[in-house]
Amino acid sequence: MEFFESDGMRIAYAVEGEGSPVLLAHGFASTHVVNWIPTGWVRALVEAGHRVIMPDMRGHGASGKSHDKADYTLSAMAGDLVALLDHLGEPGADLMGYSMGAMAALVAAMEAPERFDRIVAGGVGARLLDPKRDPGPVIEALTADDPSTVEDKGALLFRTFADQNKQDRKALAACFEAVRAPFPVERLGEISRPVLVVAGEADSQAGAPGPLAERIPDGRAFTVPKRDHMKTVGDRVYKEAVLAFLGA
C-alpha cells in the first residue's frame, strides 16, 4: 500500500490496472481489500479497462485512526477522496461507494461535482432519508468488553465484522456516531452528475433504492434480487448493472 496526508490524516490506498479511473470507497468496518478484492470488483473493473483506486477510509484498515467523532464527518471523508485524486494527479474519475462509502460519495458529488463523472451509491436507499438513525446500539456493541453481552443482534454483526477485520473499535465507534448524523437530504437536488443507487431487495439496512434516487436530478435506481446488505456487495447482477452504467 501507499500513503498520503489528507487534512492531517494519513490515508492508505492501492491502485490496480490501467485506463479510465474509478475511485472506490468501502463500507463501514471494512477495508479496501475486504470490500473490493475477494468480491471480484477489482478484477471486473480492470478487465473492463479501468484504473481502480482504492483507499482505506479514515479510521479503517491501514489509514490513520482518531477517537474523535469530529474527524469522521462525511464531508471529511469526501475531502479525502478528492485529495487522493489530487495526490495521484487525476483531474477526475468515476466514483463508487458502498454503504458508508456511498454516503461519502454522494457528499463528494455535492461538494466537488467537477471531479466526478458518474457516481454509484451502493448499499443505501430510503433509510438514508430518515433523520432518526440512532447510533447507540452499534456504538455499545463496538465498545463492549465482552461481545457475548451484546443483545442487539444487528449491532452484534457490526462488532463481529469489525473484529474479523482487526479494526480499532474505538475509532469505529467515533466514526459510526458521526456518519449516523442526519444525512444532508436537502442537498441531494444539487447533485449534477448521473447517479446509480443500488440496494439489495432484502437489504433492510438500506431500504429500497428508488426513494433516494428520486431525490437526485439524474438519479436512477437498481434493485439486486434476493440479496441483503452483505450479499449484495459481490453479486454478479450488481456488477453487470454498474459496468453498464459506467460504460453508458
Side-chain angles (χ1 to χ4, degrees):
M1 296 200 70
E2 299 183 68
F3 300 86
F4 77 106
E5 294 286 326
S6 175
D7 194 26
M9 185 73 72
R10 189 172 189 246
I11 302 297
Y13 70 95
V15 180
E16 297 284 348
E18 298 291 339
S20 176
V22 179
L23 179 56
L24 304 181
H26 65 73
F28 178 76
S30 190
T31 66
H32 85 278
V33 172
V34 172
N35 222 140
W36 308 121
I37 296 179
T39 56
W41 272 108
V42 172
R43 182 178 67 253
L45 289 167
V46 168
E47 288 177 354
H50 292 285
R51 182 189 190 201
V52 184
I53 305 166
M54 302 169 284
D56 276 350
M57 304 295 277
R58 56 173 57 206
H60 295 71
S63 287
K65 298 168 183 67
S66 164
H67 294 169
D68 184 349
K69 69 177 183 179
D71 291 323
Y72 294 105
T73 65
L74 291 174
S75 184
M77 293 185 187
D80 293 341
L81 299 176
V82 174
L84 179 51
L85 292 183
D86 290 341
H87 174 72
L88 294 173
E90 291 284 4
D94 291 320
L95 173 60
M96 178 166 70
Y98 196 81
S99 196
M100 178 191 76
M103 299 177 209
L106 290 172
V107 172
M110 297 170 188
E111 298 183 349
E114 72 283 359
R115 303 303 297 275
F116 301 104
D117 298 321
R118 293 176 180 270
I119 292 95
V120 178
V124 290
R127 292 287 298 276
L128 193 59
L129 306 176
D130 184 356
K132 298 177 181 179
R133 299 185 300 143
D134 180 17
V138 172
I139 292 174
E140 291 172 8
L142 288 169
T143 56
D145 291 332
D146 182 357
S148 69
T149 65
V150 178
E151 297 181 357
D152 187 308
K153 300 303 181 185
L156 182 59
L157 290 176
F158 283 93
R159 167 61 181 264
T160 302
F161 191 52
D163 287 342
Q164 286 174 347
N165 295 328
K166 299 179 173 58
Q167 303 278 22
D168 180 331
R169 290 186 283 104
K170 288 186 178 180
L172 290 189
C175 177
F176 195 80
E177 185 174 1
V179 301
R180 279 297 175 116
F183 187 79
V185 174
E186 70 283 355
R187 297 192 62 194
L188 288 169
E190 299 175 14
I191 297 177
S192 59
R193 312 307 303 164
V195 178
L196 178 67
V197 181
V198 181
E201 183 180 23
D203 187 347
S204 59
Q205 183 173 323
L212 178 58
E214 290 168 4
R215 299 289 192 101
I216 301 168
D218 196 2
R220 59 210 75 180
F222 184 83
T223 301
V224 181
K226 301 178 182 179
R227 295 299 193 188
D228 62 16
H229 195 69
M230 298 300 289
K231 292 183 179 179
T232 294
V233 183
D235 189 89
R236 175 182 55 82
V237 175
Y238 175 24
K239 292 189 186 75
E240 291 173 351
V242 170
L243 291 173
F245 175 69
L246 295 181

